[in-house]
């Protein structure tokens, strides 16, 4: 039984690494193929489990909607996925915006300055809750306390068409806003 648990843990770790959170290869064709083979885990805008005790995000005035950010399409070129952004998303590039979402820490500790913001809450420690269209890499000026509840961040958004880590969006110079 112990061996079986170790094998399952290793398989989960490899899946997460190939999906991009640990290994930064979200745009890698092998990672995409694995996500598709696993039933789409880590692909698409994300799925909010109705059994979750955490409330889903509600669209708010003045906050960029995930329905817009997830409207990106992709095409396979050689060994990677290339995003195709609609004009409404391209217009947000290098603009100061507000986004809301669920924090996925990238560093140890309860305060984070570098994290992922997801369109849906994380429901599994080994699963990516959404694909690159449902995630934003965030860097903030001051550390933000981790919370299971949704947070709103304001900062400069970059729309990424060829990110080495497979991300579609990055927000820099961020600042957490009061709820």
């Amino acid at each position: 039984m112990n061996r079986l648990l170790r094998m399952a843990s290793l398989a989960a770790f490899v899946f997460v690494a190939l999906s991009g959170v640990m290994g930064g290869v979200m745009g890698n064709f092998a990672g995409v193929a694995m996500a598709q083979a696993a039933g789409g885990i880590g692909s698409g805008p994300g799925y909010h489990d109705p059994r979750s005790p955490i409330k889903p995000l509600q669209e708010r005035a003045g906050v960029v909607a995930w329905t817009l950010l997830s409207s990106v399409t992709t095409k396979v070129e050689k060994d990677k996925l290339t995003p195709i952004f609609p004009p409404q998303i391209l217009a947000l590039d290098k603009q100061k915006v507000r986004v809301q979402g669920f924090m996925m820490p990238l560093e140890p500790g309860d305060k984070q300055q570098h994290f992922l913001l997801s369109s849906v809450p994380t429901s599994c420690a080994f699963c990516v809750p959404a694909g690159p269209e449902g995630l934003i890499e965030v860097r903030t000026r001051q550390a933000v306390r981790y919370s299971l509840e949704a947070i709103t961040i304001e900062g400069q958004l970059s729309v990424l068409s060829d990110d080495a880590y497979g991300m579609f969006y990055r927000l820099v110079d961020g600042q957490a806003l009061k709820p």
Side-chain angles (χ1 to χ4, degrees), residues 34-132:
M34 281 200 64
Q36 290 171 341
I41 297 171
S43 62
Y47 172 74
H48 190 104
D49 190 330
R51 298 168 296 180
S52 173
I54 301 169
K55 295 177 184 173
L57 295 173
Q58 300 297 314
E59 289 192 17
R60 296 178 18 216
V63 176
V64 176
W66 283 103
T67 52
L68 173 62
L69 295 175
S70 64
S71 68
V72 62
T73 58
T74 58
K75 66 179 178 179
V76 177
E77 289 184 345
K78 296 185 183 182
D79 63 345
K80 67 177 186 172
L81 285 179
T82 301
I84 303 168
F85 298 102
Q88 302 93 323
I89 294 176
L90 291 174
L92 296 174
D93 189 39
K94 306 292 185 243
Q95 299 298 312
K96 188 174 185 178
V97 300
R98 290 180 176 185
V99 293
Q100 64 176 340
F102 300 94
M103 182 187 284
M104 293 179 54
L106 293 175
E107 301 168 340
D110 67 334
K111 291 189 176 181
Q112 303 287 310
Q113 284 188 271
H114 184 210
F115 54 91
L116 296 178
L117 199 64
S118 172
S119 59
V120 295
T122 304
S123 60
C124 168
F126 299 105
C127 301
V128 179

Side-chain angles (χ1 to χ4, degrees), residues 85 92-95 97 136 155-161 167-172:
F85 298 102
L92 296 174
D93 189 39
K94 306 292 185 243
Q95 299 298 312
V97 300
I136 300 173
Q156 182 180 348
L157 183 71
S158 293
V159 177
L160 311 169
S161 59
M167 298 299 296
F168 290 174
Y169 306 107
R170 181 171 295 125
L171 189 127
V172 296

Side-chain angles (χ1 to χ4, degrees), residues 132-167:
E133 64 274 29
L135 298 170
I136 300 173
E137 179 184 9
V138 176
R139 292 194 180 267
T140 59
R141 291 182 230 151
Q142 295 183 330
V144 179
R145 183 173 300 279
Y146 175 74
S147 169
L148 293 174
E149 297 299 319
I151 61 171
T152 303
I153 304 287
E154 183 176 72
Q156 182 180 348
L157 183 71
S158 293
V159 177
L160 311 169
S161 59
D162 192 23
D163 183 64
Y165 295 106
M167 298 299 296

